[in-house]
C-alpha cells in the first residue's frame, strides 16, 4: 500500500510540475498573456481526459492484470520523445489562434509523457482495488493522495524550484524523478499481487464487505439509486466543470490584476486541489454549513465580482476574498461528487472520466470560448451558475429551505429579487468609495436575498442567469464609467472612455496605457507616462543621444509619436493587432505625429531580429509598463540582442513603472553583467504628467554623465540586499522583486473601521 501511495503521489507531482515548467516556458512566446496558463490548462485537461478514457476502456475490456502489463510498456514510450530528448520550446512565429497554437506545440512536445502520467491515478486505484491488500475496499483514498501530490507540486514550484533552479535544471530533476517512477512501477509489479479470483472492480464481493447487515443493505439501496443514468452522468459532468470554471476564472482575475506568473497561477489551483483532498480522503471533511448555505455564498461571490471592479479594497484583500469564496464553491462541488460516487468500483473509472470530461469542457468554455464572445471576465459568474444548477433540491436538509407554498412563496421570492436587484443596481449609484456600514448593509442584503432565492433552485439559477445577461449594463454602473468601446481578446480586456476632465483614456485591465486631451487644440500634447516632464519625454526633447531613429516596444495609445520628427522616425513593435486598431481609431497621436511613424506587428523579439544592425539610437522597451512582465524582454540574453540593434553610442530605455513588482534590481544586474552604465529617473504626478519610472542602459560614458549632471537621472547600482541570480532566458523569478512595501501601503491607507 505504501508503494502505491508513493507512486500515486510522485506521478501527480510530476504531472503538475511539467505543467508549470512548460507553461512558464511558453509564456514569453505569447507576450505574457494572462490566458497562456488557461490555454495550457485546457491542453492538460484534454490529455488527462484522453488518459482516463484510455485507462477506463482497457481496464473494463482487459481487466487489471493484463492492463498492468500494457501500463508498464507505456511508461517507456515517452522516453523516445521527452524526457530522453531535449524539450525545445523556442520562439517562433505562429499562424494559429493563441490557444490552438499552444495546444499544438504542447501536443508535439510533452503530449506522450503527459498522457502516460494522466493514467497513473486510475491505474494505482484499480491496482489497489484488485489486490490482496486490506485497503482495497476504499481505492478512492488514492485520489486524495494524487491531489495532494499535485498540491505539493504547486506549492513547491514558485518557492523552491523556480526560485533556485534554472529551467534546464528543473527539467533535469524532472527526468530523474520520472526514472524513479518507472523503477517504482516495476518494483510494485513484483511486490503487489492481483487477486485473480475477485470479480473485476466489484467492491461488493470483496473481503470485509458486510453483505448481511442493515448498513450493507443501505449501501446497496444507495447504489440502486445511483444507477448509471443520464442524470447521474450529467451531474458528474457539471460538477467537474463547475470547479474548473471557477478556479480558472479566479486565476484570470488575479493574474490579470497582478501578473501572469506561476506564483499566482498556483493559488487558485491549489485551493481547487485542496478541496479534492479534503473530500476524497479516507474520512471526508466538509462542514455542513458550506452546503447548507451555498445559495447565499454564491450570491456573495457574484457580488464580489462587481466589488473587485470598484478598486477600493486592497488587492491582497480582494485576492483573499476571491480565494476564500473559491474554496467554498470547490468544497461544495467536490462534496457533491464524493456523495454521488458509484458504490461499485466497476464504475470508478467512468466516474473519473466524467469528472475529467467536465473539467475539459469547463476549460474550453473559460479559456477558448468566453474570451471571444464576451468583453468581460464573465466566466466567473458562469461558474457560479453551473454550481447553482447542482444545488440539491428537496427535503434532504442540505440546503436551507423555507417551508412555503402557494402565493406566499412567490411573494417572498419576488421580495428577494427586488432586494438582490437593489444590491446590484442601486447600491453603486450612491456608494463610490469604501464605507464600512454601507459595505455591511450590502453584504447583509445579498446574503438574505439569496438565502430566500435558494428555496427554489430553478428560480435561483434564473436570477443568476439574469445577472450574467445584465453584466454589460451593470459594469459601467459599478465603474461609474461610460465606455466608448470595450474589447476583449486573448491578451486581455481593453477599454476606451472619456473622463470628466476631458481626457480620453485607454486601459488594459487595471493598467492605464495612454491618455490624450479630447479637444482639438490640445490633442497633440503628450500626456501621462510620456509627457514632456516625464523621464522619457525630457530625454527625447534634450536629444542627448542625437537620435536619428527610435524603436519602441509596445504601442499603447501611440503617445510617443508626438516626439517623432522629420529627421527622427519612430518604429513601434506591437504584439496585439487590436491595440493598433484602438490607437488608430480612437486616438490622434499616430495620425498627427510630426514625423514618420511605423507600426510593426508581431512579437518584438522576433521582429527586432529582422531589423538591421545598429538601426536605432534609442530603443524604448515599454511592453511591461503595466503589471505583466514579459521576462523574455528583460534579461541578459535579450539585452545582447538589443545592443546589436543599437548604434555605437545608443541606449536602451526601460519603462518599469509597476505597482507590485520592482524591476530595478533586475536591470542593475543586467547592466553589471553587460558592463553597461545604468541610470534611473522617477518623476512624480504633476497634472498632465503621471508618475513614471524609467531606467536607461548605455555603453557611452560621456552621454551617461550628461544624463546624471544635466537631466537629473540617478546612477543605478546593485544594492547588497539585491544579490541573486541574474535573469536570463533560462531563469527568472518574481519572488525577490515583489514590492511588499506597495502592497503593505495599500493596507496602511485602508481604514476599514473609520469610514
Amino acid at each position: 500500500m505504501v508503494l502505491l501511495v508513493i507512486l500515486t503521489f510522485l506521478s501527480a507531482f510530476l504531472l503538475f510540475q511539467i505543467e508549470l515548467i512548460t507553461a512558464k516556458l511558453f509564456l514569453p512566446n505569447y507576450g505574457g498573456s494572462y490566458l497562456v496558463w488557461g490555454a495550457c490548462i485546457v491542453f492538460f485537461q484534454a490529455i488527462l481526459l484522453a488518459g482516463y478514457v484510455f485507462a477506463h476502456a482497457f481496464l473494463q475490456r482487459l481487466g487489471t492484470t493484463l492492463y498492468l502489463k500494457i501500463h508498464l510498456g507505456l511508461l517507456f514510450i515517452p522516453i523516445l520523445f521527452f524526457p530522453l530528448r531535449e524539450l525545445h520550446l523556442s520562439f517562433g512565429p505562429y499562424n494559429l489562434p493563441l490557444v490552438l497554437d499552444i495546444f499544438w506545440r504542447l501536443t508535439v512536445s510533452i503530449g506522450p509523457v503527459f498522457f502516460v502520467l494522466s493514467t497513473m491515478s486510475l491505474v494505482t486505484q484499480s491496482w489497489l482495488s484488485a489486490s490482496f491488500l486490506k485497503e482495497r475496499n476504499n481505492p478512492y483514498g488514492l485520489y486524495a493522495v494524487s491531489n495532494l501530490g499535485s498540491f505539493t507540486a504547486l506549492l513547491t514550484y514558485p518557492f523552491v524550484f523556480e526560485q533556485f533552479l534554472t529551467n534546464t535544471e528543473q527539467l533535469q530533476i524532472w527526468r530523474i524523478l520520472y526514472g524513479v517512477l518507472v523503477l517504482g512501477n516495476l518494483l510494485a509489479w513484483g511486490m503487489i499481487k492481483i487477486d485473480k479470483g475477485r470479480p473485476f472492480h466489484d467492491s461488493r464481493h470483496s473481503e470485509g464487505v458486510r453483505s448481511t447487515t442493515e448498513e450493507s443493505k443501505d449501501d446497496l439501496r444507495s447504489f440502486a439509486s445511483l444507477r448509471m443514468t443520464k442524470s447521474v452522468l450529467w451531474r458528474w459532468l457539471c460538477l467537474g466543470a463547475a470547479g474548473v470554471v471557477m478556479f480558472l476564472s479566479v486565476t484570470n482575475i488575479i493574474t490579470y490584476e497582478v501578473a501572469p506568473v506561476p506564483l499566482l497561477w498556483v493559488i487558485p489551483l491549489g485551493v481547487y486541489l485542496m478541496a479534492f483532498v479534503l473530500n476524497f480522503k479516507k474520512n471526508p471533511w466538509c462542514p455542513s454549513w458550506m452546503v447548507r448555505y451555498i445559495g447565499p455564498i454564491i450570491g456573495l461571490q457574484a457580488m464580489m465580482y462587481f466589488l473587485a471592479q470598484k478598486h477600493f479594497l486592497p488587492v491582497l484583500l480582494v485576492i483573499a476574498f476571491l480565494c476564500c469564496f473559491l474554496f467554498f464553491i470547490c468544497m461544495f462541488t467536490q462534496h457533491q461528487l464524493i456523495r454521488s460516487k458509484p458504490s461499485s468500483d466497476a464504475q470508478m473509472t467512468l466516474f473519473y472520466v466524467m469528472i475529467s470530461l467536465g473539467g475539459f469542457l469547463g476549460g474550453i468554455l473559460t479559456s477558448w470560448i468566453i474570451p471571444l464572445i464576451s468583453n468581460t471576465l464573465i466566466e466567473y459568474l458562469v461558474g457560479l451558475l453551473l454550481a447553482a444548477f447542482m444545488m440539491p433540491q428537496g427535503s434532504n436538509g442540505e440546503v436551507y429551505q423555507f417551508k412555503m407554498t402557494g402565493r406566499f412563496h412567490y411573494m417572498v421570492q419576488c421580495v428577494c429579487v427586488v432586494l438582490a436587484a437593489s444590491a446590484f443596481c442601486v447600491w453603486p449609484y450612491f456608494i463610490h468609495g469604501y464605507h464600512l456600514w454601507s459595505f455591511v448593509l450590502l453584504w447583509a442584503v445579498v446574503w438574505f436575498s439569496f438565502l430566500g432565492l435558494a428555496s427554489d433552485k430553478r428560480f435561483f439559477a434564473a436570477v443568476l442567469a439574469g445577472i450574467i445577461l445584465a453584466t454589460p449594463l451593470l459594469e459601467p454602473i459599478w465603474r461609474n464609467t461610460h465606455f466608448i468601446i470595450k474589447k476583449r481578446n486573448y491578451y486581455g480586456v481593453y477599454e476606451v472612455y472619456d473622463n470628466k476632465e476631458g481626457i480620453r483614456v485607454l486601459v488594459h485591465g487595471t493598467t492605464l496605457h495612454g491618455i490624450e486631451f479630447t479637444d482639438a487644440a490640445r490633442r497633440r500634447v503628450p500626456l501621462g507616462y510620456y509627457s514632456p516632464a516625464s523621464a522619457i519625454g525630457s530625454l527625447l526633447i534634450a536629444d542627448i543621444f542625437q537620435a536619428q531613429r527610435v524603436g519602441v516596444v509596445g504601442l499603447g495609445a501611440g503617445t510617443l509619436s508626438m516626439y517623432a520628427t522629420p529627421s527622427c522616425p519612430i518604429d513601434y513593435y506591437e504584439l496585439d493587432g487590436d491595440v493598433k486598431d484602438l490607437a488608430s481609431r480612437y486616438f490622434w497621436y499616430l495620425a498627427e505625429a510630426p514625423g514618420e511613424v511605423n507600426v510593426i506587428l508581431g512579437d518584438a523579439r522576433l521582429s527586432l531580429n529582422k531589423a538591421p544592425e545598429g538601426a536605432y539610437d534609442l530603443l524604448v522597451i515599454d511592453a511591461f509598463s503595466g503589471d505583466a512582465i514579459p521576462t523574455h524582454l528583460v534579461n541578459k540574453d535579450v539585452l545582447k540582442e538589443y545592443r546589436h540593434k543599437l548604434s555605437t553610442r545608443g541606449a536602451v530605455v526601460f519603462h518599469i513603472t509597476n505597482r507590485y513588482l520592482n524591476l530595478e534590481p533586475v536591470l542593475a544586474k543586467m547592466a553589471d553583467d553587460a558592463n553597461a552604465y545604468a541610470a534611473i529617473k522617477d518623476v512624480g504626478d504633476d497634472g498632465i504628467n503621471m508618475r513614471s519610472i524609467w531606467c536607461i542602459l548605455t555603453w557611452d560614458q560621456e552621454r551617461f554623465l550628461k544624463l546624471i549632471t544635466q537631466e537629473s537621472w540617478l546612477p543605478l547600482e546593485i544594492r547588497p540586499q539585491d544579490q541573486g541570480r541574474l535573469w536570463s532566458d533560462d531563469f527568472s523569478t518574481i519572488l525577490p522583486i515583489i514590492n511588499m512595501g506597495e502592497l503593505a501601503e495599500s493596507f496602511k491607507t485602508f481604514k476599514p473601521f473609520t469610514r
Side-chain angles (χ1 to χ4, degrees), residues 304-321:
M304 195 63 220
Y305 172 81
F306 294 98
L307 280 172
Q309 299 182 42
K310 297 288 282 185
H311 300 299
F312 55 59
L313 296 175
V315 64
L316 287 182
L317 192 58
V318 172
I319 292 176
F321 273 128

Side-chain angles (χ1 to χ4, degrees), residues 253-272:
I253 294 173
I254 291 176
T255 57
Y256 196 42
E257 173 74 23
V258 184
V261 291
L263 177 63
L264 296 178
W265 292 341
V266 304
I267 298 173
L269 185 51
V271 171
Y272 171 76

Side-chain angles (χ1 to χ4, degrees), residues 692-753:
S692 61
I693 307 172
W694 296 80
C695 177
I696 190 168
L697 273 63
T698 182
W699 290 262
D700 189 309
Q701 186 179 29
E702 178 185 348
R703 282 168 170 73
F704 172 74
L705 292 175
K706 286 185 178 180
L707 289 172
I708 302 300
T709 57
Q710 299 177 17
E711 295 297 319
S712 303
W713 289 72
L714 300 175
L716 178 63
E717 298 176 348
I718 300 176
R719 300 174 301 177
Q721 63 267 36
D722 294 334
Q723 297 296 330
R725 183 173 289 188
L726 179 67
W727 279 18
S728 67
D729 285 340
D730 200 34
F731 176 84
S732 63
T733 175
I734 71 161
L735 267 181
I737 66 168
I738 293 177
N739 194 341
M740 297 305 298
E742 182 69 24
L743 292 172
E745 187 65 27
S746 65
F747 275 100
K748 289 180 182 178
T749 57
F750 179 62
K751 303 180 187 298
F753 300 109

